[in-house]
């Protein structure tokens, strides 16, 4: 029996205990977005720290200070920095995760209490935070514990960075990473993050790319105050009319971005990249099921995936300052701010995108011959992230998946951003790997969030195996 | 000294008392839109009824029942029906007004307590409801009182219809008018309403037209639930994209309605009508001041007035279902409802407008080649109202203005709707006259609402004189 075989059977033997402990963690309502729950977020930090103490993981708690929340100053939860092993002969893997969760109320439509972990006959473990991100972060600790119990040497040093504000803007995290890049984080060889999901329900994946984002506020100002459309309608240039005229020029109904020059920055599709889409575990009917309506634009899987992962998209999100309630208010809004964002892909540069967007909007506004005033403001911009899926960390993870699941993982990208990924890559200068444990249908931010027991237990084995594989990478 | 001369001097002699009494009425916080203030609305009804009792006005209180407000069932305030005189040899004038007011809080920016009537050095009487509509409705009672005190015969019978829900949808009023058209309201010769304002600050006017309205909800539905733009952006037809595409086709930045056929229904401008705009007391700079920004479309007074009064306009009011807060949410809204309305003028028919609008929107949606689902729903429609400004009631009012103010009144129309106007005209089949007391700068629904003491006192004389003039019309 190899070392990993004995770890695997230890994990199987203790699976009920891992579920019980996940239940302890889920019971702590560590909702970061609500000031009232902040003590529970801190309680969850202490729960992790108590495990670190038991396992001999040395740790420090970084205090990011205060935030303004619901009108008062609220203390931020700690960012826990753990260190297990400092052997200069070993590789050092930094793992990141978050111990805070999304809000959840039974009355939102949960079939069971969201903060009581419940297992059904299909082995699904329901509970807020079960998959996002409590099972993954705890699993790193169970991997250490298994090695200790079996007297197996952990072949890498582990650094852990666990934050309690991921669901609420990761306050203070970027600053800490920048500040500690040559301090605590020094010596990191690889970063591994388990905080996303398989593309489907059955095949594991490694995720090597994320789109970036450029978010915009487009403000059109006219009258000094809201006007009554009966009294003034027909006699004033209305900001809403101009906003609709301009925003309707940004994107076509088939999703094509109409801002001139945008596609010039998009890295061309190569035959090699096209090949990576073959055989990926993804079916259009499943995707239509997730969308919940027959509104998918593309009619084949590869085009859908490319449109999510490797092409930019532009979405109109809403308007600030206009009438938004039910009913029939006859207002001419005085000043309206349209919100839209562009998902960025390699090699789009947020600064260049901003130049194109603001130039285009200014010229479209000029065409209107309107007396309104138009301004464009970028709210935030983040470049796309792309790792090398052929590098040593990905190779190690691929071997680990094959060892644990008996299949080659899909190589996937995602459409959304996980900002910390780029922060780690840019500041530590090392490869970042996204190694998900949960499945596509886990419902991370929805009601009835779950992780399959199989994903959790096999996931512990996967993380352990990855560490062994990457040790010799 | 004629009868009217003695009435005038009585009114002048008692002006301080009229101001004091208006103060009593303003002190009653009869805000109809807030359930907590409902007892004060009823108190205001009782204040009026107590005056009716003192003056021998017989009255009944119609109970419109209950309404749903702020989540509970709230009893509606009474519609007071008063009768003063039933001489079949006299003409019968029905006067309408409302005793409820808009909400007001000192913290909204009032310079004095909104429910304490305050007079400044310029003779402006500040207070919520001062001009809208407490001074006008009380004035009808002071006219009766003056006749009684002086022993002058009132040359007409008066019916009074005073409601307490005008600022909140006039619940129950239309039903009552329809129901009592052949009952209480039978025998009405003329309707006179004092609940609007002079076009400017100095010259009285008679108002003979109001635009109607057709209000629309345009709903575009796509995915079953809101989606994350990172995950789904670029792969689904987004309802917002389609909504902006369609709503941007409804109206041009210069205010021209782009729905085909809309202008075919608009009554052509005749030379005679054009002549009525000459000499009206209206200046572009004042109008720009009211708008509070240099966004007026037309560059001369007549065109501004025609655009407000006799041409249709289309305003985009907002979107229900989209992101509307501050900040940067990356949502793809699943279902969005655009709100817009068209102000209607003679001879536009709401049903025909609806046919044109829904046909146009369906064809624009079809052009998009989108898989979203598009529906158009008319929320409410009201025809424009137009009276004959050469009829006997207007002639009487014109003589009254000349007698009291020494000038010919402007003949004006307004851009907004006063639905009761049309209800009275259509159900009683008689001429309705709008005879304003307040001035353009009274700020009826704003902070620091006021009525000039001169407008109030001369307004009492105006109403008295109108009754004398119309008696022999
Ligand atoms: Zn997460
Ligand atoms: Zn999350
Ligand atoms: Zn009013
Ligand atoms: Zn009002």
């Amino acid at each position: 029996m190899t070392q990993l075989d004995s770890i695997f059977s230890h994990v199987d033997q203790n699976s009920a205990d891992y579920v019980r402990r996940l239940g302890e963690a889920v019971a702590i309502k560590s909702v970061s977005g609500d000031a009232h729950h902040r003590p529970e977020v801190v309680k969850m930090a202490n729960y992790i720290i108590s495990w670190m103490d038991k396992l001999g993981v040395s740790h420090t708690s970084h205090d990011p200070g205060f935030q303004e929340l619901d009108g008062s100053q609220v203390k931020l939860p700690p960012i826990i920095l753990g260190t297990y092993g400092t052997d200069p002969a070993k590789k050092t893997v930094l793992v990141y995760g978050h111990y805070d969760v999304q809000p959840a109320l039974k009355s939102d439509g949960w079939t069971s209490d969201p903060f009581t972990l419940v297992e059904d006959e299909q082995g699904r473990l329901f509970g807020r935070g079960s998959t996002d991100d409590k099972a993954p972060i705890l699993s790193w600790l169970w991997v250490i514990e298994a090695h200790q119990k079996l007297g197996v040497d952990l072949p890498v040093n582990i650094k852990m960075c666990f934050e309690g504000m991921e669901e609420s803007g990761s306050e203070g995290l970027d600053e800490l990473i920048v500040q500690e890049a040559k301090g605590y984080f020094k010596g990191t060889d690889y970063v591994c993050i388990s905080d996303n999901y398989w593309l489907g329900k059955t095949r594991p994946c490694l995720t090597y790319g994320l789109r970036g984002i450029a978010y915009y506020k487009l403000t059109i100002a006219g009258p000094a105050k809201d006007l009554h459309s009966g009294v003034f309608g027909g006699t004033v240039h209305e900001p809403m009319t101009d906003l609709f005229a301009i925003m309707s020029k940004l994107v076509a109904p088939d999703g094509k971005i109409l801002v001139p020059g945008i596609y010039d920055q998009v890295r061309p599709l190569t035959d090699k990249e096209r090949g990576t889409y073959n055989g990926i575990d993804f079916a259009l009917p499943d995707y239509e099921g997730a969308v919940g309506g027959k509104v998918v634009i593309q009619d084949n899987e590869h085009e859908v995936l490319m449109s999510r992962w490797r092409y930019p998209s532009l979405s109109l999100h809403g308007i600030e300052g206009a009438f938004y309630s039910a009913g029939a208010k006859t207002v001419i809004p005085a000043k309206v701010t349209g919100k839209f964002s562009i998902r960025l892909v390699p090699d789009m540069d947020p600064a260049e995108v901003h130049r194109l967007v603001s130039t285009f909007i200014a010229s479209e506004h000029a065409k209107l011959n309107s007396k309104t005033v138009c301004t464009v403001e970028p709210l935030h911009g983040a470049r796309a992230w792309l790792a090398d899926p052929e590098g040593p960390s990905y190779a190690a993870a691929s071997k680990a998946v094959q060892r644990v699941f008996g299949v080659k993982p899909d190589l996937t990208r995602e459409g959304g951003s996980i900002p910390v990924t780029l922060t780690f890559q840019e500041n530590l200068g090392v490869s970042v790997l996204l190694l998900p444990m949960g499945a596509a249908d886990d419902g991370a931010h929805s009601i009835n969030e779950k992780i399959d027991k199989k994903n959790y237990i096999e996931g512990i084995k996967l993380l352990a195996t990855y560490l062994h594989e990457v040790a010799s990478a």
Side-chain angles (χ1 to χ4, degrees), chain A:
Chain A
M1 207 178 199
T2 67
Q3 285 185 334
L4 278 171
D5 286 334
S6 64
I7 298 260
F8 287 8
S9 72
H10 175 87
V11 169
D12 284 330
Q13 282 156 25
N14 288 278
S15 62
D17 215 34
Y18 297 137
V19 171
R20 188 188 53 74
R21 293 173 185 178
L22 180 58
E24 287 177 355
V26 164
I28 302 170
K29 300 173 182 168
S30 54
V31 177
S32 55
D34 178 352
H36 293 104
H37 283 90
R38 191 57 53 89
E40 298 267 314
V41 183
V42 174
K43 189 177 170 190
M44 185 64 206
N46 291 332
Y47 180 83
I48 292 166
I49 287 168
S50 72
W51 274 109
M52 287 180 164
D53 286 335
K54 273 180 232 170
L55 298 172
V57 176
S58 67
H59 54 82
T60 57
S61 288
H62 172 76
D63 172 9
F66 289 80
Q67 71 168 153
E68 170 110 15
L69 185 63
D70 304 340
S72 58
Q73 289 291 313
V74 181
K75 194 163 165 45
L76 288 163
I79 299 170
I80 306 169
L81 300 176
T83 301
Y84 187 73
T86 55
D87 184 343
K90 292 178 179 173
K91 292 266 172 32
T92 297
V93 177
L94 168 66
V95 303
Y96 159 88
H98 62 92
Y99 60 84
D100 62 321
V101 299
Q102 286 278 323
L105 293 171
K106 177 88 165 65
S107 59
D108 293 340
W110 285 70
T111 51
S112 55
D113 172 47
F115 296 102
T116 304
L117 193 73
V118 173
E119 181 175 352
D120 72 359
E121 322 83 62
Q122 297 169 56
R124 297 183 295 188
L125 304 168
F126 291 95
R128 174 56 87 220
S130 56
T131 196
D132 181 22
D133 186 33
K134 288 182 173 176
I137 58 172
L138 293 176
S139 294
W140 293 111
L141 298 169
W142 309 157
V143 167
I144 292 170
E145 184 192 45
H147 282 76
Q148 288 181 357
K149 291 223 164 144
L150 297 171
V152 174
D153 182 53
L154 194 68
V156 295
N157 304 312
I158 302 185
K159 286 179 189 282
M160 294 167 218
C161 176
F162 295 153
E163 67 160 323
M165 286 297 290
E166 197 275 343
E167 302 294 5
S168 307
S170 290
E171 303 250 355
L173 181 66
D174 276 4
E175 296 82 338
L176 179 70
I177 294 170
V178 170
Q179 177 191 313
E180 293 292 331
K182 304 256 180 296
Y184 168 78
F185 294 110
K186 189 162 179 250
T188 298
D189 294 293
Y190 303 109
V191 177
C192 181
I193 300 175
S194 186
D195 188 23
N196 67 314
Y197 306 93
W198 297 353
L199 186 58
K201 298 177 197 175
T202 53
R203 186 160 341 140
C205 65
L206 314 180
T207 305
Y208 70 99
L210 298 167
R211 292 196 290 191
I213 189 170
Y215 200 106
Y216 289 97
K217 285 171 65 170
L218 163 56
T219 299
I220 311 274
K225 57 180 186 296
D226 285 0
L227 300 176
H228 187 281
S229 70
V231 182
F232 293 95
T235 66
V236 293
H237 291 284
E238 301 188 12
M240 283 287 276
T241 302
D242 295 356
L243 186 74
F244 274 74
I246 295 172
M247 284 179 73
S248 68
K249 300 279 166 52
L250 296 172
V251 59
D254 65 359
K256 188 172 186 309
I257 300 174
L258 303 174
V259 178
I262 281 287
Y263 289 100
D264 297 348
Q265 301 180 67
V266 176
R267 191 180 295 183
L269 180 69
T270 61
D271 285 344
K272 183 177 173 192
E273 186 192 329
R274 193 190 297 276
T276 63
Y277 289 90
N278 288 327
I280 281 187
D281 176 32
F282 181 73
L284 203 50
D286 289 349
Y287 193 68
E288 281 176 336
V291 167
K294 292 270 174 198
V295 287
V296 175
I297 295 172
Q298 298 79 15
D299 58 9
N300 72 75
E301 280 79 359
H302 292 192
E303 281 183 20
V304 168
L305 290 178
M306 287 185 211
S307 299
R308 290 174 82 179
W309 295 349
R310 65 106 52 234
Y311 287 117
S313 64
L314 191 154
S315 296
L316 311 178
H317 306 298
I319 305 174
E320 192 179 338
F323 175 52
Y324 60 82
S325 306
K329 196 173 172 186
T330 54
V331 65
I332 296 174
K335 183 178 166 187
V336 287
T337 299
K339 309 282 180 74
F340 66 94
S341 67
I342 302 177
R343 294 285 165 176
L344 307 183
V345 297
D347 301 303
M348 295 170 84
D349 170 39
E352 171 65 3
V353 168
H354 179 53
R355 194 185 65 77
L356 294 171
V357 166
S358 54
T359 303
F360 178 64
I361 287 176
S363 81
E364 288 299 312
H365 185 258
K367 281 185 203 167
L368 301 180
N369 267 317
S370 169
K371 296 177 186 169
T372 58
V373 175
C374 170
T375 49
V376 186
E377 184 191 339
L379 273 193
H380 59 253
R383 217 173 283 273
W385 167 76
L386 199 63
D388 174 12
E390 298 183 348
S393 183
Y394 281 80
S398 182
K399 279 189 206 159
V401 168
Q402 292 177 67
R403 173 86 190 251
V404 175
F405 293 92
V407 294
K408 274 185 81 125
D410 282 334
L411 279 174
T412 68
R413 289 160 69 169
E414 290 199 0
S417 309
I418 306 179
V420 72
T421 311
L422 203 62
T423 310
F424 279 133
Q425 182 172 295
E426 290 183 345
N427 288 281
L428 310 188
V430 297
S431 169
V432 178
L433 163 71
L434 302 188
L435 183 60
M437 278 176 72
D441 62 343
D442 281 1
H445 288 194
S446 309
I447 56 167
N448 299 323
E449 175 182 348
K450 61 91 180 167
I451 187 167
D452 289 355
K453 190 167 148 186
K454 181 167 189 287
N455 284 57
Y456 179 31
I457 302 302
E458 301 306 302
I460 298 169
K461 298 177 192 172
L462 175 65
L463 300 188
T465 309
Y466 165 71
L467 294 179
H468 280 255
E469 293 290 350
V470 86
S472 55

